[in-house]
Amino acid sequence: MAFTNSGFPEIRAIFLAQFHPDQGPIVRMSVPEDAVDVGENAYTDTGATNRSSELRDTGAMGGIVSSSNNFAHEPEVVELIKRTTARGGPSLVDSSKIDFNSIQTLIIPKLTLFERLITVNTGRFKVMCYPVAIEGNYARNMFIFNMCFAFDISADTKCYGPVVKRVGSLLKELEVTGRLLSDVAGTRALLTMMRQLVNKLNDHGEYQIELDLKGLSQPMASTGISIKLFPYYENPATIEAFHVPVKLVDFDVARRKSAQTVYQQHASNDIMWDLVLDKVAEGIDNVNHVRRIARQAQIPEPTVVLALQHLDYYGCIALVDIFQFSNVYEAQARVKDVMRNGWLQRECHAYVTRDRQAGTVSLERLIQLYATVRQRRTVAEWIVDNCIDVERFDVRRFIVFGVLHGMLRRVHCFPVLCASVESAKKEPSRRGSNSGSGSGDEEPLKLEPRVVAMLDGTHHLDEICVAENKDAAVMRGLLDSYGGIEYVHL
């Protein structure tokens, strides 16, 4: 996969597709000029007429501009795969070019896909586009166009989604106000813009240009366009009360770096983060879970969750489970990565032996220990089996590092209350109803209704313990005393 100097995928080509009133879908211009193979256009005059009738029958003539409102319930991003060959025979298309005929029905789509972000895979390329239709005084009473961006098939193009959508929206506005696309006089300005888009976005990740609109019915002789690429971040994960945030960066350094970015100068010691972030960051010690952090900071738990989601969104923290010696883990296939990756080996050794005596454990020993983690053996049993000196070896760091890098997986314990026992618990005891009898019998243990409701197999022991503010050993003793509990490990 090719990347630009700014770290974003490289644009291979840009082409402008239009619906011609006589020829159907065509490629009006492209950068580079020979980037698109149009071949024989599949649309004849009859095909173009049928295509226009299809749009008119589906209501395109009556409300295409407001299609985003009419279809607000539909997804905005549509991913399609189209790898077709020439009809009735082997492919005659140059593989180094974009085969327009195989994707033209998706570049000029039906009504439901207008003003939607579309991704089409064809051959060696991934094409992103944002089709637009404008009603007005045009042939067939409608002008349909689509500015398409082409990338390598393996490129991660999520960061280009807002750019493609913005370019389509800007061209729509310029066409409505000044006929930039439909007027032949705008061809030069369009071609200049497309060339600048490819060069500037590939080289610098941003684009700014003044379009010369002389000769067009624009209120101004020129207009400016500014576009900038930004990294794409996945939505933050759902954070529960039992999750433990683990620092991935030095918060002190991050705080000063963010201040320097804002003020463009060396930050002084009195520059601080948001007050909530400061209080939450103080409670993150890689051991405390979310609810404990909220209680220590005296901040409502939902507010703490929002702060942690913010940190997680920017990669400042990762989420793991509460570490206890009664936990069960199992090794994953990625354990072999630590055997092959020298950087991962050094990071593992530095993290596990931090704050410990130098040379307490060798790198070979660490790799061997990861392979010995097996299901149905608690951490305490694993320590005894491998004769590990907990005073010289940080077991918690060892486990956390393995979980963060996918080498270990936590096996959760789900307590399930048997249905027969649950119904028996609800029945009144005959022995208790007889006066004077059974006075020496012990009263059966009662659990809170909210705890019983969580014994349905969908809540693991960590979640129940945090909800009841009890240790795992204490909670398991209460469940065992209650009786009728089966434990499922997943």
Side-chain angles (χ1 to χ4, degrees):
M1 184 194 310
F3 290 90
T4 65
N5 293 333
S6 54
F8 298 103
E10 183 178 354
I11 301 174
R12 291 302 186 184
I14 293 181
F15 63 94
L16 176 63
Q18 289 183 198
F19 184 83
H20 192 276
D22 298 323
Q23 302 175 17
I26 62 170
V27 176
R28 179 176 169 183
M29 60 184 71
S30 66
V31 176
E33 294 183 4
D34 59 346
V36 183
D37 189 339
V38 293
E40 277 190 30
N41 199 319
Y43 281 90
T44 60
D45 291 345
T46 304
T49 304
N50 293 338
R51 184 66 167 169
S52 180
S53 301
E54 181 185 75
L55 292 172
R56 186 165 51 250
D57 293 341
T58 56
M61 308 297 288
I64 188 66
V65 176
S66 60
S67 64
S68 59
N69 296 328
N70 296 337
F71 298 91
H73 61 281
E74 296 187 2
E76 187 165 319
V77 178
V78 181
E79 294 189 6
L80 303 169
I81 298 178
K82 189 76 172 178
R83 293 193 185 99
T84 58
T85 58
R87 297 175 182 175
S91 176
L92 303 176
V93 180
D94 187 352
S95 61
S96 64
K97 299 181 180 181
I98 302 168
D99 182 10
F100 180 71
N101 285 339
S102 68
I103 60 174
Q104 59 181 346
T105 56
L106 305 175
I107 299 300
I108 307 296
K110 293 186 177 181
L111 169 65
T112 54
L113 295 181
F114 277 112
E115 299 195 12
R116 296 285 189 271
L117 192 61
I118 299 176
T119 302
V120 184
N121 291 346
T122 175
R124 296 166 50 188
F125 298 95
K126 177 183 293 186
V127 179
M128 293 186 70
C129 56
Y130 187 77
V132 177
I134 304 172
E135 290 183 87
N137 187 20
Y138 301 100
R140 304 182 186 274
N141 299 323
M142 184 177 293
F143 183 75
I144 301 173
F145 70 92
N146 196 350
M147 183 69 77
C148 306
F149 291 65
F151 307 87
D152 288 335
I153 189 71
S154 59
D156 184 1
T157 57
K158 294 178 181 177
C159 59
Y160 273 93
V163 171
V164 175
K165 185 176 179 180
R166 176 169 170 77
V167 170
S169 301
L170 285 172
L171 291 178
K172 177 183 177 180
E173 183 179 352
L174 292 173
E175 171 61 26
V176 171
T177 58
R179 302 280 180 147
L180 174 65
L181 283 81
S182 57
D183 195 331
V184 179
T187 301
R188 181 176 179 180
L190 271 175
L191 193 57
T192 300
M193 184 193 73
M194 293 170 63
R195 289 171 177 167
Q196 292 283 345
L197 272 173
V198 173
N199 295 332
K200 296 295 185 181
L201 291 181
N202 280 346
D203 293 341
H204 308 291
E206 56 183 294
Y207 165 78
Q208 187 172 3
I209 189 177
E210 290 286 335
L211 283 180
D212 185 5
L213 303 178
K214 294 179 181 178
L216 298 174
S217 56
Q218 288 277 4
M220 298 180 294
S222 64
T223 185
I225 297 178
S226 299
I227 295 175
K228 183 177 177 63
L229 285 170
F230 292 94
Y232 177 82
Y233 296 100
E234 296 287 348
N235 291 331
T238 302
I239 298 180
E240 303 290 350
F242 54 84
H243 281 145
V244 176
V246 177
K247 296 179 183 179
L248 299 181
V249 298
D250 189 333
F251 284 172
D252 292 333
V253 174
R255 183 184 293 109
R256 297 183 64 82
K257 285 290 186 181
S258 61
Q260 291 176 18
T261 301
V262 173
Y263 296 101
Q264 298 297 321
Q265 61 184 0
H266 291 291
S268 59
N269 294 329
D270 59 348
I271 292 181
M272 301 173 63
W273 274 353
D274 175 83
L275 294 178
V276 173
L277 277 178
D278 263 333
K279 296 290 291 183
V280 170
E282 291 176 3
I284 299 178
D285 60 355
N286 303 344
V287 176
N288 291 337
H289 53 72
V290 173
R291 181 155 297 174
R292 183 179 296 170
I293 293 173
R295 288 173 178 170
Q296 291 179 352
Q298 298 182 353
I299 299 175
E301 188 174 312
T303 306
V304 173
V305 169
L306 288 176
L308 292 175
Q309 285 181 329
H310 182 81
L311 294 174
D312 180 42
Y313 183 79
Y314 289 103
C316 297
I317 62 171
L319 301 173
V320 297
D321 301 299
I322 301 172
F323 175 78
Q324 299 176 95
F325 287 100
S326 59
N327 289 358
V328 178
Y329 297 88
E330 66 176 357
Q332 300 294 289
R334 293 193 63 179
V335 168
K336 61 186 179 182
D337 292 347
V338 76
M339 303 179 185
R340 304 172 181 175
N341 191 326
W343 173 86
L344 191 61
Q345 293 174 3
R346 292 188 295 270
E347 287 292 315
C348 177
H349 190 266
Y351 185 80
V352 174
T353 59
R354 186 177 301 171
D355 300 330
R356 303 280 169 166
Q357 297 179 1
T360 53
V361 59
S362 64
L363 181 60
E364 293 76 10
R365 177 63 171 162
L366 284 178
I367 299 174
Q368 180 185 7
L369 287 175
Y370 275 119
T372 61
V373 179
R374 295 183 179 88
Q375 193 175 354
R376 297 187 179 180
R377 301 292 290 176
T378 65
V379 174
E381 295 171 339
W382 172 81
I383 290 173
V384 174
D385 293 343
N386 292 275
C387 302
I388 295 176
D389 184 1
V390 294
E391 296 295 332
R392 301 167 61 86
F393 183 85
D394 197 328
V395 178
R396 183 189 62 81
R397 284 178 174 269
F398 174 84
I399 295 295
V400 168
F401 187 90
V403 172
L404 290 179
H405 290 83
M407 297 183 291
L408 298 178
R409 183 184 72 87
R410 170 74 186 280
V411 180
H412 282 287
C413 175
F414 292 84
V416 181
L417 178 62
C418 299
S420 58
V421 176
E422 183 178 5
S423 60
K425 294 284 185 181
K426 294 180 180 179
E427 294 180 0
S429 175
R430 294 183 180 179
R431 182 177 302 178
S433 62
N434 296 329
S435 60
S437 63
S439 57
D441 295 341
E442 295 183 1
E443 184 179 353
L445 177 66
K446 294 183 179 179
L447 291 177
E448 294 291 339
R450 62 176 180 273
V451 178
V452 176
M454 299 177 75
L455 303 178
D456 58 355
T458 61
H459 304 274
H460 52 72
L461 196 58
D462 283 0
E463 182 178 356
I464 299 174
C465 291
V466 172
E468 295 302 307
N469 195 26
K470 287 183 171 58
D471 183 76
V474 175
M475 178 55 68
R476 188 148 187 169
L478 292 175
L479 296 178
D480 291 339
S481 301
Y482 186 73
I485 305 294
E486 296 290 340
Y487 296 98
V488 179
H489 292 81
L490 294 175

